[in-house]
Every structure is written in structure tokens, then in C-alpha cells.
């Protein structure tokens, strides 16, 4: 059960971050931070399917992490899920076409 939760956490966290990045790149740069524009920004972001999918994936990852922490120690959970950083970097380079250096 522990390793299944680790897999869910890693996969959902990686895809959540990638989808959120895709959605925000599609949306464009945030330039105006006045309250009225922030409400418009929030509304337009919440209609973005990539951002909604990313938020859903991150929610699943969060609740899976809570489940994992209920059955094991944080000293196992955090290192076991650290492979997600490598996977995110690889997907950023090859899917998002980001410039990744050592």
C-alpha cells in the first residue's frame, strides 16, 4: 500500500505541475495586480482546463500524501517521493520545451 501511494503522489504531483505550467503559459503573463484585475485573472484562470486539471491532480497528490503519512513516517515519505523532481525536470525539458541546464 505504501508504494502504491508513493506512485500516486509522484504521478499526480508531476502531472499537476506540468498542467498548471501549460495553463499559465497559455494564459500569459500577469501584469496588473490591482484588485479588479486580480478577480478577472482568477476567473479566467479557473476557466482554463489545463489549470483545472493541474489543480485536480495536485489535490489527489495532497490527499494521497496525507494517507501515506498516516501509515508511515515522514522520513520514508519525503525521500520516496523525491523522484518526482527528476520526472518534472525531464517533462519540462521534453514536453514544455524549457531550457534545462545542469
Amino acid at each position: 500500500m505504501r508504494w502504491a501511494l508513493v506512485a500516486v503522489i509522484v504521478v499526480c504531483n508531476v502531472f499537476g505541475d506540468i498542467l498548471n505550467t501549460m495553463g499559465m503559459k497559455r494564459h500569459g503573463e500577469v501584469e496588473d495586480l490591482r484588485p479588479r484585475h486580480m478577480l478577472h485573472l482568477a476567473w479566467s484562470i479557473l476557466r482554463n482546463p489545463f489549470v483545472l486539471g493541474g489543480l485536480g491532480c495536485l489535490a489527489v497528490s495532497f490527499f494521497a500524501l496525507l494517507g501515506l503519512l498516516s501509515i508511515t513516517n515522514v522520513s520514508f515519505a519525503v525521500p520516496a517521493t523525491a523522484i518526482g523532481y527528476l520526472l518534472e525536470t525531464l517533462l519540462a525539458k521534453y514536453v514544455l520545451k524549457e531550457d534545462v541546464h545542469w
Side-chain angles (χ1 to χ4, degrees), residues 5 9 62-78:
L5 285 171
I9 292 165
F62 173 74
F63 287 110
L65 178 62
L66 291 180
L68 181 63
L69 290 173
S70 73
I71 61 173
T72 191
N73 297 328
V74 72
S75 61
F76 168 80
V78 172

Side-chain angles (χ1 to χ4, degrees), residues 75-86:
S75 61
F76 168 80
V78 172
T81 59
I83 188 70
Y85 295 114
L86 175 63

Side-chain angles (χ1 to χ4, degrees), residues 28-44:
E29 187 174 346
V30 177
E31 296 176 356
D32 194 348
L33 299 177
R34 290 180 289 178
R36 183 170 198 188
H37 288 93
M38 292 302 286
L39 287 173
H40 176 68
L41 172 70
W43 177 247
S44 66

Side-chain angles (χ1 to χ4, degrees), residues 45-68:
I45 288 172
L46 289 176
R47 291 183 305 170
N48 187 321
F50 290 113
V51 173
L52 289 177
L55 290 175
C57 286
L58 290 173
V60 170
S61 176
F62 173 74
F63 287 110
L65 178 62
L66 291 180
L68 181 63

Side-chain angles (χ1 to χ4, degrees), residues 14 22 37 90:
V14 167
M22 290 170 64
H37 288 93
L90 291 173

